[in-house]
Amino acid sequence: MIDVPEALATAQSEYNGAAGRAFVAGLPELTAEFVRRWDLVIDGPPMHGVAALVVPVVRADGIPAVLKLQLLDEESRGEPVALRLWNGDGAVRLLDHDPATHTMLLERLDERRMLAHLPDTHEAVLIIARLLAHLTAGPAPDGMRRLGDIARDMLERTPRALDRVPDPEARAIVADCAAAVREVVDEPGDRLLHWDLHNENVLASDRAPWLAIDPKPLAGDPGFELWPALYNHYDPDDVRWRFDAMTDVLALDRDRALAWTLGRLLQNCLWDVEDGRPLDPDQLEMARRLRGRRS
């Protein structure tokens, strides 16, 4: 019924090994099952990211939607819970969900109109900040993964990672990021966070100018949300403007927001070191620009 995109198959094999290959092999049958179960008609070629297959469909009542199929992991586990809580306010609307397979039926947005295509990068940053103001307005529900646990785990892993960073300046930046996280780790916050709101995860729709998709939700401080928008269309000379603009829109304490933003850099650096990749020089430069920013 569908052809699984080769790029998705490659990504699943690379990141999830045998489980990813089994997931990809079962996607045609799984898609057919939910097309039958939810009385859908496939309405175009499948789309994909790194983790999910997204199939355009039309419901029996004529309403366009998309079928999202993905391998359940720690990051995606809370997605349907968050989407139900947001109920379309700033985010795509969840129409149906199968807990056994994590398959979701979502309202269809316009994938041709992505925030990444907006030429005005300042306006794009402000759009993300306004969306985050909606999405992070309420507390996360019980059972959501928690920023405090993630932060403490990062701090435990940092000493081993530092031993594997050969460049003294880069090592100092990573150590400084860890020190910033230690200052706030005991007050990690309780807001419902999207965690991955970069400009390719914001699409236009008919019912709202822009809506967020693909959350990797957790409970924590909204300052942990800023990094993706700071890094979109990377411009080192614009980092401080973006940081100030987002903290203004979200009414965040800048010192706390800076600490949690540096926590995102620490998270990225730990992943790079543990996977044997070099540290990203652009992200290190962003940290250099931000480290002097105190309220």
Side-chain angles (χ1 to χ4, degrees), residues 141-161:
D142 292 340
M144 195 69 70
R145 64 192 182 117
R146 310 197 75 79
L147 177 56
D149 297 332
I150 292 169
R152 282 186 286 272
D153 177 68
M154 289 194 299
L155 293 176
E156 288 178 5
R157 290 152 54 201
T158 296
R160 292 188 299 275

Side-chain angles (χ1 to χ4, degrees), residues 42-252:
I42 292 179
D43 190 39
M47 301 168 284
H48 69 93
V50 172
L53 183 74
V54 179
V55 182
V57 295
V58 176
R59 302 195 315 182
D61 58 7
I63 293 176
V66 295
L67 194 61
K68 182 176 182 180
L69 308 105
Q70 61 186 343
L71 192 62
L72 183 64
D73 60 20
E74 181 186 44
E75 291 183 354
S76 62
R77 190 178 304 277
E79 181 174 0
V81 177
L83 292 178
R84 281 201 184 96
L85 284 173
W86 289 324
N87 193 28
D89 183 11
V92 65
R93 185 169 281 128
L94 179 67
L95 305 176
D96 213 334
H97 171 235
D98 177 62
T101 64
H102 199 56
T103 301
M104 291 181 288
L105 188 67
L106 304 167
E107 73 171 312
R108 193 190 304 182
L109 308 183
D110 189 347
E111 76 281 358
R112 298 165 301 176
R113 292 188 291 153
M114 184 184 293
L115 188 60
H117 302 153
L118 193 70
D120 187 340
T121 56
H122 279 191
E123 180 59 22
V125 168
L126 293 173
I127 287 167
I128 288 178
R130 293 175 196 129
L131 286 174
L132 288 173
H134 284 282
L135 300 178
T136 65
D142 292 340
M144 195 69 70
R145 64 192 182 117
R146 310 197 75 79
L147 177 56
D149 297 332
I150 292 169
R152 282 186 286 272
D153 177 68
M154 289 194 299
L155 293 176
E156 288 178 5
R157 290 152 54 201
T158 296
R160 292 188 299 275
L162 287 173
D163 289 340
R164 297 170 59 185
V165 179
D167 178 70
E169 184 182 6
R171 191 164 57 247
I173 292 173
V174 175
D176 186 62
C177 291
V181 173
R182 287 191 195 96
E183 293 179 3
V184 293
V185 68
D186 291 330
E187 297 181 71
D190 69 347
R191 300 294 92 181
L192 179 57
L193 307 184
H194 181 288
W195 183 81
D196 196 27
L197 200 57
H198 55 77
N199 59 14
E200 292 185 359
N201 273 345
V202 180
L203 300 179
S205 81
D206 292 335
R207 70 172 179 86
W210 300 103
L211 294 170
I213 64 169
D214 201 22
K216 306 291 188 292
L218 67 153
D221 190 296
F224 203 59
E225 294 272 35
L226 307 186
W227 186 268
L230 299 178
Y231 195 51
N232 289 156
H233 296 301
Y234 171 65
D235 180 351
D237 295 329
D238 206 36
V239 167
R240 287 191 172 186
W241 182 92
R242 296 182 189 191
F243 179 82
D244 289 347
M246 294 189 77
T247 51
D248 282 347
V249 171
L250 288 158
L252 300 180

Side-chain angles (χ1 to χ4, degrees), residues 172-173 176 258 262 286-294:
I173 292 173
D176 186 62
L258 175 59
L262 294 176
M286 283 178 61
R288 291 187 190 97
R289 302 286 180 123
L290 289 169
R291 284 159 76 203
R293 169 60 72 192
R294 292 282 177 175

Side-chain angles (χ1 to χ4, degrees), residues 268-269 272-273 275-281 284:
N268 293 341
C269 288
D272 286 342
V273 170
D275 290 343
R277 298 188 299 266
L279 299 184
D280 184 332
L284 294 175

